Amino acid sequence: MEATLQTRAKSTKSAIRSCYQSRTAEINGDLRAAAETNRYLQLPEEVLEDILLRLPAETLKNCKRVCKSLFDLINNPSFVNKHLLRVTTENRKPCSSSSRTLFLKWIRQELSMDDIFDGYDVYHLHGNDLSKLVLSMVTICEEDDTNGNRDDDRLSCVVEEVRLPPIPESELPYFPTYIKASSHSNGIIHMADPENEGTSVLLNPILGEFKLLIRPEDLPDDYYSKFTGDDLTLHGLAGWGFGYDPKAKVYKCVKIYVDECSKFPVALVYTLGRYDSSRMIKIDIGGHRCSFQSNGVYCKGAYHWLNAGGQMILSFDMSEEKFYRTRLPKDLYAKVKKLQVWKESLIIFYGLECSWFSSIFEMWVMVGNIGGVEGSTYWTKHLTIGPLVCIFYPLIFWKDDELLLEGQDGRIVSYNLDTKRLRTLPLPGAVYPGHTSAYLYLKSLVSL
Amino acid sequence: MSSSSTTTTTTRLLMLKASDGVTFEVEEAVATKLGAINNMVEEEGSEDLICLPNVNGKFLGMVLEWCKKHANNNTNSDKGNDEVNKWWDKEFVMDLDQNTLYHLLMAADYLSGTELVDLLTEKVASMIRGKKVEEIRETFKIKSDFLPGQEEEIRKKNSWAFE
């Protein structure tokens, strides 16, 4: 009896002790866990920032969902700018081992070879069909290939398709039915529609943000004639541009409107911000017909368009909000051409020959500053590319020595200036030559 | 004056005392790879014992181990040294768990070991890169403080492009 009592007492005691021990262990564990919880968030701010700045925008998008303090830190405009600077510098390194990302806007080709040989008009066939539009994000992962890659004729890359955003019903009537022009600045893709008075879509596909730029509500219907002071009617849009104003540190979108004779263009300039604002500016184009190639390029704080006649470049300085004209060499007026950027300078491709069997392009580089004294800029012929077989036209330089070209057969290829090697970009489908836009994309946190 | 100080720097030994009383005897040239110690040596000069109340002995030891490797490699002015340092850095951070990494990072930052901080922040970044939200929380033991539904709202709003 006693013994049993004793054992019971003993067992109770040991039970209490073990319970106490496990409780203590639990408490200690809890304390340790509590000490470890959120500890990384308490790192000195500059250390935490240093860690985050090393991450790509896609990962930072996930980090934003981890907790509130990371959300606030990553959303902070000063952080966004530091990150942008880092990505930009990384992308500019001439022999950077990191990957490059291209953004491609293209139209899927669904024609038979006969159609292509017989000649076709893409705009008539598919121009109004957004379903044929494909947006692709292409990440080229090039290892050090000084020894030459085994798989010589293909670029190794990851291709992802970017879907268009879901459009709120209220904005549906304004959404472009057809996208003609596009541009890219610091991770934001701008696409515009010549209809709908040129509604623009702005996307940051990495963040998954989008925004529509609709004609400002306070603009009266007869704003064009009121503004020009003439009895002119607005005929349509002649050009779009989108870019960064490095002085005010804001993004601006500019649309050029013209009258029926295309002689009196005006520009509507939107400044993006917490509250978007807009203003109109008259453009003096010196009596030329204002008809531009709809896709321009952004270079050194300004947006540039080539006029359809090919005699001049019209430039819009994003900070000064002023337009400048730059004349082109006379002997090159009539040739097919395209404006592009190379090593932060404006360049022009002149097509000397463009056929299935032989394509030859000259590359001219502009020397001098846009908006400088008249006659202070000149053009110099840098090199001749080709003859190449089955090439339609150059797209962009994605590296100093690698040029992306559209093929006549619907392929996109990369051409190396030194080795003259051609490599195919493995897109899911064939493109309609002449309707592709490509950008060297920056994966940024820039919010819309 | 200046010549005598340079001769002493090569041989002079410093005593570093960690928060738990553990002391380390290190060559000045090694310890001055840490900005904070370099400043103290320059300011106080004569003091040979330096107390570091914010660093535990275990982590101070690791920081000094790193300094020693880099100081040794930098004395030989061979071009292969960069490669050796890189290789050694890789080894150094390879198996660090998040707990050790945290303490090392705090110690390196406190001691202003800029190069070491760079190495460690890159290591932390490599542990986050490409990870999903839950994985990041788990790896770094971070508790979400979003209100119910808030996180889902952020996710939904911005998920059209790829998902």
Side-chain angles (χ1 to χ4, degrees):
Chain A
M1 184 74 177
E2 250 177 61
T4 47
L5 249 181
Q6 260 181 354
T7 46
R8 193 180 291 164
K10 218 184 231 169
S11 69
T12 321
K13 233 184 219 169
S14 76
I16 291 172
R17 191 185 301 134
S18 80
C19 177
Y20 173 78
Q21 279 170 346
S22 73
R23 185 75 196 112
T24 318
E26 213 174 276
I27 290 169
N28 282 341
D30 278 355
L31 282 176
R32 208 174 307 131
E36 284 189 16
T37 303
N38 291 347
R39 198 168 51 182
Y40 272 81
L41 301 175
Q42 269 117 50
L43 281 170
E45 200 174 307
E46 65 279 7
V47 176
L48 191 57
E49 197 177 83
D50 183 11
I51 294 170
L52 295 172
L53 281 173
R54 291 166 191 268
L55 298 168
E58 299 102 307
T59 307
L60 287 169
K61 187 192 162 196
N62 287 345
C63 289
K64 274 189 354 184
R65 275 166 51 204
V66 167
C67 66
K68 263 195 205 151
S69 53
L70 284 184
F71 182 88
D72 291 340
L73 209 159
I74 297 164
N75 254 10
N76 188 319
S78 119
F79 181 83
V80 173
N81 279 333
K82 280 182 201 165
H83 186 261
L84 182 64
L85 192 69
R86 188 155 184 147
V87 183
T88 314
T89 332
E90 194 60 37
N91 246 22
R92 282 207 188 123
K93 280 186 195 162
C95 23
S96 158
S97 56
S98 66
S99 56
R100 303 282 166 113
T101 306
L102 302 173
F103 189 93
L104 260 71
K105 172 179 99 51
W106 51 288
I107 307 247
R108 204 183 293 272
Q109 187 185 104
E110 281 160 7
L111 289 173
S112 68
M113 284 313 260
D114 288 344
D115 290 330
I116 299 168
F117 276 112
D118 290 347
Y120 55 87
D121 186 340
V122 182
Y123 281 126
H124 277 131
L125 283 165
H126 297 299
N128 290 321
D129 190 355
L130 267 187
S131 70
K132 297 285 185 292
L133 176 85
V134 190
L135 306 175
S136 299
M137 188 91 85
V138 182
T139 309
I140 305 178
C141 339
E142 273 207 309
E143 303 94 56
D144 184 22
D145 80 350
T146 38
N147 308 325
N149 212 318
R150 292 269 161 270
D151 196 1
D152 247 358
D153 51 358
R154 266 170 89 92
L155 272 170
S156 59
C157 45
V158 180
V159 183
E160 290 166 284
E161 190 164 320
V162 179
R163 296 191 317 196
L164 280 170
I167 310 130
E169 215 147 284
S170 57
E171 295 187 338
L172 207 55
Y174 306 105
F175 199 79
T177 48
Y178 153 44
I179 283 165
K180 193 172 176 192
S182 61
S183 45
H184 163 251
S185 178
N186 296 344
I188 301 176
I189 297 287
H190 165 255
M191 298 191 287
D193 178 8
E195 308 300 324
N196 268 335
E197 285 212 38
T199 303
S200 295
V201 192
L202 298 168
L203 308 172
N204 181 335
I206 295 294
L207 289 186
E209 290 190 355
F210 96 102
K211 182 175 192 165
L212 287 184
L213 274 188
I214 304 163
R215 198 187 97 188
E217 273 173 21
D218 53 357
L219 220 56
D221 280 338
D222 55 350
Y223 66 95
Y224 181 77
S225 52
K226 272 196 178 148
F227 185 74
T228 52
D230 289 308
D231 192 20
L232 295 167
T233 49
L234 175 72
H235 183 62
L237 276 139
W240 301 259
F242 179 75
Y244 186 59
D245 169 355
K247 280 192 188 134
K249 295 187 169 53
V250 288
Y251 292 84
K252 287 177 182 173
C253 178
V254 52
K255 294 177 187 177
I256 300 170
Y257 293 86
V258 284
D259 61 302
E260 271 154 339
C261 6
S262 299
K263 295 258 177 179
F264 303 97
V266 297
L268 188 60
V269 181
Y270 295 82
T271 303
L272 267 63
R274 183 167 293 200
Y275 304 103
D276 299 343
S277 61
S278 61
R279 74 182 192 102
M280 292 195 95
I281 303 169
K282 275 189 195 178
I283 312 169
D284 173 17
I285 54 161
H288 289 287
R289 269 203 62 189
C290 185
S291 166
F292 303 106
Q293 293 185 353
S294 48
N295 272 331
V297 293
Y298 177 85
C299 179
K300 287 183 185 158
Y303 203 85
H304 314 271
W305 299 265
L306 197 62
N307 82 330
Q311 306 93 335
M312 62 148 189
I313 290 169
L314 183 72
S315 306
F316 177 70
D317 186 309
M318 289 282 169
S319 305
E320 305 289 325
E321 297 200 352
K322 270 187 187 156
F323 281 91
Y324 298 98
R325 285 175 283 140
T326 311
R327 256 187 265 151
L328 293 179
K330 254 204 180 102
D331 46 331
L332 294 166
Y333 275 8
K335 289 169 184 156
V336 191
K337 49 191 100 40
K338 185 163 187 169
L339 194 60
Q340 261 306 330
V341 179
W342 179 66
K343 292 187 178 175
E344 298 208 43
S345 290
L346 279 181
I347 56 165
I348 285 183
F349 289 112
Y350 286 98
L352 299 181
E353 260 183 70
C354 296
S355 79
W356 268 82
F357 311 103
S358 171
S359 298
I360 303 172
F361 311 101
E362 279 181 359
M363 176 179 150
W364 290 63
V365 182
M366 194 186 104
V367 184
N369 288 321
I370 286 287
V373 189
E374 173 88 31
S376 69
T377 55
Y378 62 96
W379 293 82
T380 154
K381 187 175 130 184
H382 183 71
L383 54 87
T384 308
I385 299 163
L388 298 170
V389 181
C390 197
I391 291 300
F392 183 75
Y393 224 79
L395 286 169
I396 53 151
F397 275 103
W398 62 274
K399 262 187 179 177
D400 288 352
D401 58 352
E402 286 278 348
L403 175 65
L404 218 58
L405 303 147
E406 274 184 300
Q408 300 269 13
D409 55 358
R411 281 186 310 156
I412 302 275
V413 292
S414 178
Y415 174 77
N416 188 288
L417 294 189
D418 301 322
T419 63
K420 304 199 169 20
R421 185 167 65 158
L422 278 171
R423 287 178 295 170
T424 309
L425 202 71
L427 284 184
V431 309
Y432 271 118
H435 299 278
T436 309
S437 304
Y439 306 99
L440 188 53
Y441 189 74
L442 271 185
K443 291 181 175 178
S444 85
L445 296 166
V446 176
S447 197
L448 291 166
Chain B
M1 168 79 192
S2 64
S3 66
S4 75
S5 74
T6 45
T7 48
T8 50
T9 46
T10 50
T11 50
R12 188 178 164 196
L13 290 175
L14 293 175
M15 290 288 279
L16 304 183
K17 193 172 172 193
S19 62
D20 50 359
V22 182
T23 53
F24 295 87
E25 201 179 42
V26 257
E27 281 178 30
E28 189 180 320
V30 171
T32 48
K33 284 208 76 72
L34 302 165
I37 293 182
N38 193 36
N39 285 348
M40 283 184 224
V41 171
E42 276 179 3
E43 277 167 25
E44 292 159 34
S46 57
E47 203 69 61
D48 280 351
L49 178 72
I50 294 172
C51 289
L52 302 165
N54 284 345
V55 193
N56 179 291
K58 183 182 162 192
F59 304 110
L60 180 59
M62 292 177 82
V63 171
L64 291 173
E65 190 193 339
W66 181 87
C67 293
K68 222 175 273 175
K69 286 281 177 190
H70 276 253
N72 285 347
N73 276 334
N74 290 349
T75 47
N76 324 319
S77 56
D78 190 347
K79 275 200 176 159
N81 274 333
D82 263 3
E83 288 305 308
V84 176
N85 279 343
K86 258 186 210 159
W87 177 84
W88 203 81
D89 280 352
K90 223 172 155 186
E91 288 283 298
F92 185 75
V93 295
M94 196 186 287
D95 296 321
L96 293 179
D97 59 85
Q98 64 88 13
N99 181 47
T100 317
L101 192 53
Y102 169 81
H103 287 290
L104 267 182
L105 194 46
M106 287 299 272
D109 181 59
Y110 167 68
L111 297 166
S112 313
T114 327
E115 273 176 75
L116 183 56
V117 171
D118 266 359
L119 177 68
L120 297 170
T121 48
E122 180 50 44
K123 171 68 181 177
V124 180
S126 76
M127 288 163 76
I128 307 175
R129 215 167 277 142
K131 286 222 165 92
K132 298 201 174 76
V133 181
E134 269 313 316
E135 294 170 329
I136 300 169
R137 279 189 197 137
E138 208 169 294
T139 312
F140 297 98
K141 302 204 174 0
I142 296 172
K143 251 188 166 168
S144 166
D145 51 356
F146 286 114
L147 296 173
Q150 234 174 6
E151 188 206 330
E152 181 58 18
E153 205 175 295
I154 305 171
R155 194 195 67 80
K156 256 193 186 159
K157 211 172 110 192
N158 302 332
S159 65
W160 49 266
F162 294 106
E163 282 157 47

